[in-house]
């Protein structure tokens, strides 16, 4: 592995049912989001990068310095000396220290004077939206305020790499949105790896997205590029789209008796090769119930379950999901047959 600025790593960690083997890179100042199903190995990767999980194989380099290597000559840098800080779901503030003293802990640990550390703490509390809160104890802060102090403490230590392990998951939507915006502003010049289950976090914070499934990278690229062309059912689920597997046939997409066409230029080119494995991608909100029998992009599906939503219902079928109004979904139950349609302008084909 060639060492360079930012983070470059190959993390190999054996687990009970599979081995995590993930190559990861983040350029200086870049934020990379990591997403995957529960138990896929995402947190294992962060623990290894932070030095809390030993490598079975691989190597980790931070700003060109190898901090961990499994092969000989073995390198094993202590967590506190890696220039890496891990921010998790819980703030884990020191309960006996004030907010300012919590933030000052990082600079003090790296050798800063008490006065410089106190000044840095005040500056960072101001930057994370807590001016004047330095004397408050952790138990006097809300959950969102505690997480802001945890962010300030992490960044005040001037880390070379910041690791975020779902720091917003325990917060209410409004507080999470506020802290998401704060993180975006404060991490703009910091190399960051962020594990999240929320596509909104990935879009708001990250430059690139890496998908990890069962310990392996299955897709990576620009955040919006990955979400727009999901290579697996998991990615389709977090992107909130249908992903139906089929094949090219006479310039369209076909699976059994279902046939879809697309007006998208790239999709049309992909469908030009008969037999090519393709996935048809479209949003459930673009699917409508219809009584048409022969119209373009119309198919019959069997309802598998109905989930109430604020606006109506999400109707899952054996051929994709549809967001329907209360009126259109009224009386539908598992096993019912339903005619659905989607506009060709709203369908894309991607390689399967």
């Amino acid at each position: 592995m060639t060492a360079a600025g930012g983070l470059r790593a190959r993390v190999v960690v054996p687990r009970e049912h599979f081995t995590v083997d993930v190559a990861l890179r983040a350029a200086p100042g870049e934020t990379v989001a990591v997403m995957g199903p529960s138990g896929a190995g995402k947190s294992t990767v962060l623990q290894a990068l932070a030095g809390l999980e030993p490598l079975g194989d691989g190597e980790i380099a931070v700003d060109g310095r190898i901090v961990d290597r499994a092969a000989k000559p073995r390198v094993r840098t202590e967590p506190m000396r890696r220039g890496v800080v891990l921010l998790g779901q819980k703030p884990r503030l020191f309960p006996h220290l004030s907010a300012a003293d919590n933030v000052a802990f990082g600079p003090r640990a790296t050798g800063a004077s008490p006065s410089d550390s106190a000044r840095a703490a005040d500056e960072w509390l101001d930057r994370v939206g807590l001016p004047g809160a330095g004397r408050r104890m952790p138990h006097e802060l809300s959950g969102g305020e505690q997480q802001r102090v945890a962010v300030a403490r992490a960044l005040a230590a001037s880390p070379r790499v910041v690791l975020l392990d779902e720091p917003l998951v325990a917060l209410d939507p409004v507080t999470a949105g506020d802290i998401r915006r704060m993180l975006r502003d404060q991490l703009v010049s910091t190399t960051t790896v962020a594990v999240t289950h929320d596509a909104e976090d990935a879009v708001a914070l990250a430059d690139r997205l890496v998908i990890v499934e069962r310990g392996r990278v299955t897709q990576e690229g620009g955040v919006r590029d990955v979400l727009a062309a999901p290579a697996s059912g998991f990615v389709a689920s977090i992107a909130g789209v249908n992903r139906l597997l089929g094949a090219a046939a006479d310039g369209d997409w076909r699976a059994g008796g279902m046939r879809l066409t697309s007006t998208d230029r790239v999709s049309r080119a992909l469908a030009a090769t008969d037999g090519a494995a393709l996935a048809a991608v479209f949003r459930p909100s673009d699917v409508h119930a219809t009584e048409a029998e022969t119209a373009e992009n119309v198919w019959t599906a069997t309802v598998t379950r109905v989930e109430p939503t604020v606006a109506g219902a999400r109707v899952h079928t054996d051929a994709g999901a549809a967001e329907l109004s209360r009126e259109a979904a009224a009386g539908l139950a598992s096993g019912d047959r339903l005619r659905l349609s989607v506009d060709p302008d709203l369908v894309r084909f991607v390689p399967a």
Side-chain angles (χ1 to χ4, degrees):
M1 180 178 65
T2 302
L7 172 71
R8 288 186 177 271
R10 182 183 172 219
V11 172
V12 181
V13 177
R15 292 180 52 174
E16 182 178 0
H17 300 296
F18 60 87
T19 295
V20 174
D21 189 345
V22 171
L24 200 63
R25 60 181 176 82
E30 182 180 33
T31 295
V32 175
V34 179
M35 302 186 76
S38 296
K42 307 179 299 299
S43 292
T44 297
V45 172
L46 290 195
Q47 294 283 315
L49 294 175
L52 305 176
E53 178 78 44
L55 292 178
D57 195 4
E59 183 177 288
I60 300 168
V62 175
D63 279 353
R65 179 173 72 99
I66 295 174
V67 298
D68 208 339
R69 180 169 55 206
K72 295 182 179 180
R74 183 73 167 95
V75 177
R76 177 70 174 167
T77 306
E78 295 178 1
M80 64 171 45
R81 302 186 185 281
R82 293 186 174 214
V84 176
V85 65
L86 174 62
L87 181 62
Q89 299 175 12
K90 297 181 179 180
R92 300 190 186 282
L93 301 179
F94 300 119
H96 62 291
L97 297 180
S98 67
D101 287 340
N102 263 280
V103 179
F105 180 85
R108 288 294 302 275
T110 58
S113 68
S115 59
D116 286 343
S117 298
R119 189 178 306 110
D122 288 340
E123 291 175 355
W124 272 106
L125 286 171
D126 186 65
R127 290 177 68 173
V128 300
L130 291 175
R135 294 185 178 181
R136 295 165 65 186
M137 301 299 288
H139 71 270
E140 299 175 314
L141 302 170
S142 69
E145 290 171 334
Q146 289 184 34
Q147 197 65 292
R148 287 176 184 269
V149 174
V151 171
R153 182 177 64 179
L155 298 183
S158 301
R160 292 180 173 86
V161 175
V162 172
L163 308 176
L164 304 178
D165 192 0
E166 299 194 84
L168 309 181
V169 71
L171 303 176
D172 65 84
V174 173
T175 302
D178 289 343
I179 295 183
R180 187 183 295 115
R181 287 188 290 272
M182 180 270 292
L183 283 171
R184 184 179 60 224
D185 293 339
Q186 300 305 328
L187 295 174
V188 66
S189 60
T190 304
T191 304
T192 306
V193 178
V195 163
T196 179
H197 276 105
D198 192 332
E200 187 175 354
D201 288 347
V203 171
L205 297 174
D207 304 290
R208 288 191 301 112
L209 176 57
V210 175
I211 304 297
V212 176
E213 299 181 75
R214 200 169 173 78
R216 297 293 192 275
V217 174
T218 57
Q219 190 174 5
E220 61 181 306
V223 178
R224 295 185 185 277
D225 294 336
V226 170
L227 296 178
S232 70
F234 169 77
V235 183
S237 69
I238 62 173
V241 298
N242 288 309
R243 178 181 181 270
L244 304 183
L245 297 178
D250 299 326
D252 293 331
W253 172 97
R254 182 179 289 178
M258 183 177 176
R259 185 166 189 155
L260 298 177
T261 188
S262 172
T263 59
D264 176 66
R265 180 179 58 83
V266 175
S267 298
R268 299 296 297 174
L270 289 170
T273 303
D274 282 358
L278 298 177
V281 176
F282 50 94
R283 295 177 298 182
S285 58
D286 292 329
V287 179
H288 304 283
T290 182
E291 295 181 359
E293 293 295 331
T294 58
E296 190 175 51
N297 282 26
V298 173
W299 68 99
T300 300
T302 300
V303 175
T304 56
R305 72 180 188 276
V306 179
E307 297 176 352
T309 64
V310 173
R314 171 168 285 210
V315 179
H316 296 266
T317 78
D318 60 353
E323 296 282 355
L324 302 183
S325 66
R326 290 189 182 90
E327 294 75 17
L332 286 176
S334 179
D336 288 347
R337 299 283 282 172
L338 184 65
R339 294 284 286 175
L340 299 172
S341 68
V342 64
D343 192 309
D345 291 344
L346 304 175
V347 177
R348 297 178 64 249
F349 303 145
V350 299

